[in-house]
Structures are given as C-alpha cells and as structure tokens.
C-alpha cells in the first residue's frame, strides 16, 4: 500500500543544520519530493529527486535517498528563521502524489 | 501567471448549508487536484481530474461531497449539506502531466472553511 511517514516536529537553533526524515512504502515511485508550507499558504515545491539518484544538492538543501530502506531525508544547512514551516515529503504514484503527515520545523534564535 | 486561484479565501457557514469552493488552475495545466488539510488527518487527496475527467475520487469522504470540472479553466468542490466536521482548509492544485516528468503540483492559497 501507499504510506508516507514523517516525524511531526523538529526544533533547531538558528545556524545549525536541520534534518527531516521520511519513510515511504511504494518502491516503484519514480520521483520523491519535498514541499514547504509556510503559515497561511499552500504547499510549494522545494526540491525533488529522481529514484535512480541517491543524493541531490541545491544550495543549502541536500536530499538523500536510500531506496533499499525506502528512506528520504532533507538536510537544511545554516537553518534560518525563515525556514520555519511545515515540510512535506511526497512520493509519485502514477498520476498523483502521496504526501506525508508533514514535519513542523521551528527555528529558534 | 497568477498561479492557482481559489475563492473564497475564507468561508463561514452554518451546519446544513451548501458550500461551493472554486478553483482556477494555471493556464495550460491538464491535471487538477482537490485536497483537504486538518490538524487531525493532515493533507488528504479528495479527488483529481485529468483533462477535465475525474480519475480518482476515492478520497471523497461521502456523498455530501461532489466535484466538477466543466472546462479546463474551472473546477468546483461542493459540500451539501455541510457539517462542523467539514471544517478544514481546502486546497486546489494543478500540474502539467507529461508522463515521465516530475510533474510539479502548484498549490492555490486555500479556502479556510468553518462550519458552525
């Protein structure tokens, strides 16, 4: 079945790195995504990774994919207060996305 | 492009009333999705359309919910009659479904529905 799980909360100090983890169940997913939701807004694509890759880096963001364990992570380097948001992991299942529960990241000074 | 447009942004209604939420997808996109977000259940996919045709409505909670897409630039989600447990933020999203592409979904700002 399709299921994407994340931890609900993460709290980090400004300037530290944040690591948000996700596990998924559909091994046939071709793409995996990280979306960001800021307060009062819709979700916005942050980054994605193709399933034949194990790492993708984009400025302060690093995505790691472990297909064997069906584990996806998002690392945010030098976390800023503007990074405070809910982060959703998602996998592509045919024509639709299956979203995780979301991880609320709180950044404190 | 203005992005995905949803209206109204906020809706407060009384139990038993009909509620209609509206969505205008990004021009040229061929897939449209309706989601519901609550604290208890997170983000749930209600229904999605491809080329104006409903593909999967398995997430629609019950018969009180219905969705239509009469043309490529407009969709509605209707709740009749509404109940307090329908209170949530409803998101519309659209994408250009191109087969093997990564198919980014663009979300609207959402409609916050409160049913008293």
């Amino acid at each position: 079945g399709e299921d994407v799980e994340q931890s609900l909360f993460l709290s980090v100090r400004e300037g530290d790195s944040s690591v948000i983890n996700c596990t998924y169940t559909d091994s046939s997913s071709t793409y995996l995504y990280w979306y960001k939701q800021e307060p009062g807004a819709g979700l916005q694509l942050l980054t994605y990774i193709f399933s034949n890759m194990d790492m993708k880096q984009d400025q302060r963001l690093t995505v790691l994919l472990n297909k064997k364990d069906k584990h996806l992570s998002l690392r945010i380097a030098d976390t800023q207060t503007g990074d405070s948001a809910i982060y959703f992991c998602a996998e592509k299942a045919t024509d639709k996305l299956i979203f995780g529960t979301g991880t609320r990241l709180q950044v404190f000074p | 492009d203005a992005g995905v447009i949803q209206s109204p942004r906020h809706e407060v209604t009384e139990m038993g009333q009909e509620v209609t939420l509206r969505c205008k997808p990004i021009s040229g996109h061929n897939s449209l999705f309706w989601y519901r977000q609550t604290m208890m259940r997170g983000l749930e996919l209600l229904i999605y359309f491809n080329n104006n045709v409903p593909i999967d409505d398995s997430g629609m909670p019950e018969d009180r919910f219905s969705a239509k897409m009469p043309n490529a630039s407009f969709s509605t989600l209707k709740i009749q009659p509404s109940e307090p447990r329908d209170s949530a933020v409803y998101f519309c999203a659209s994408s250009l479904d191109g087969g093997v592409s990564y198919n980014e979904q663009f979300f609207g700002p959402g409609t916050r529905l409160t049913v008293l």
Side-chain angles (χ1 to χ4, degrees):
Chain A
E2 303 161 336
D3 198 10
V4 181
E5 295 190 354
Q6 305 175 233
S7 54
L8 292 180
F9 298 101
L10 177 65
S11 184
V12 299
R13 187 180 300 276
E14 190 175 15
D16 288 351
S17 292
S18 307
V19 179
I20 303 171
N21 294 300
C22 167
T23 58
Y24 61 97
T25 55
D26 188 355
S27 58
S28 65
S29 295
T30 52
Y31 289 92
L32 294 123
Y33 308 79
W34 285 103
Y35 278 77
K36 178 183 180 182
Q37 183 182 29
E38 297 187 353
L43 281 69
Q44 190 168 16
L45 181 65
L46 201 57
T47 186
Y48 67 94
I49 188 168
F50 190 48
S51 58
N52 70 350
M53 299 169 64
D54 52 21
M55 187 182 89
K56 180 178 180 181
Q57 188 147 6
D58 184 3
Q59 299 181 333
R60 292 190 297 121
L61 305 178
T62 303
V63 179
L64 296 178
L65 174 60
N66 181 330
K67 283 196 71 174
K68 175 176 170 290
D69 296 336
K70 299 190 187 69
H71 183 264
L72 184 73
S73 68
L74 173 69
R75 179 177 180 270
I76 306 172
D78 187 24
T79 311
Q80 302 297 308
T81 54
D83 295 324
S84 294
I86 302 176
Y87 291 81
F88 290 88
C89 166
E91 60 176 340
K92 183 175 180 180
T94 57
D95 295 333
K96 63 184 181 182
L97 298 184
I98 308 298
F99 284 91
T101 51
T103 299
R104 183 178 295 274
L105 174 64
Q106 182 176 22
V107 183
F108 59 93
Chain B
D1 199 316
V4 176
I5 298 173
Q6 291 188 246
S7 65
R9 291 295 310 277
H10 302 273
E11 176 82 27
V12 180
T13 190
E14 292 186 343
M15 182 173 64
Q17 296 298 306
E18 177 180 296
V19 174
T20 299
L21 311 181
R22 296 173 176 79
C23 175
K24 181 181 185 333
I26 291 173
S27 177
H29 282 188
N30 59 356
S31 292
L32 183 140
F33 307 80
W34 281 103
Y35 293 90
R36 177 173 69 177
Q37 186 177 34
T38 61
M39 288 292 291
M40 292 296 294
R41 291 188 297 271
L43 191 67
E44 302 172 278
L45 176 64
L46 301 178
I47 185 171
Y48 77 94
F49 297 82
N50 184 258
N51 294 321
N52 312 339
V53 175
I55 302 301
D56 184 351
D57 65 355
S58 59
M60 295 286 261
E62 46 198 277
D63 292 345
R64 297 184 297 107
F65 285 69
S66 62
K68 293 182 180 179
M69 192 163 186
N71 57 62
S73 58
F74 184 66
S75 177
T76 59
L77 178 67
K78 186 177 292 187
I79 309 172
Q80 165 65 18
S82 58
E83 297 182 4
R85 59 193 168 118
D86 301 330
S87 297
V89 180
Y90 290 81
F91 288 104
C92 176
S94 71
S95 70
L96 179 59
D97 183 7
V100 297
S101 171
Y102 69 93
N103 297 131
E104 177 179 358
Q105 287 190 18
F106 293 82
F107 281 72
T111 295
R112 181 174 294 276
L113 173 65
T114 303
V115 183
L116 303 174

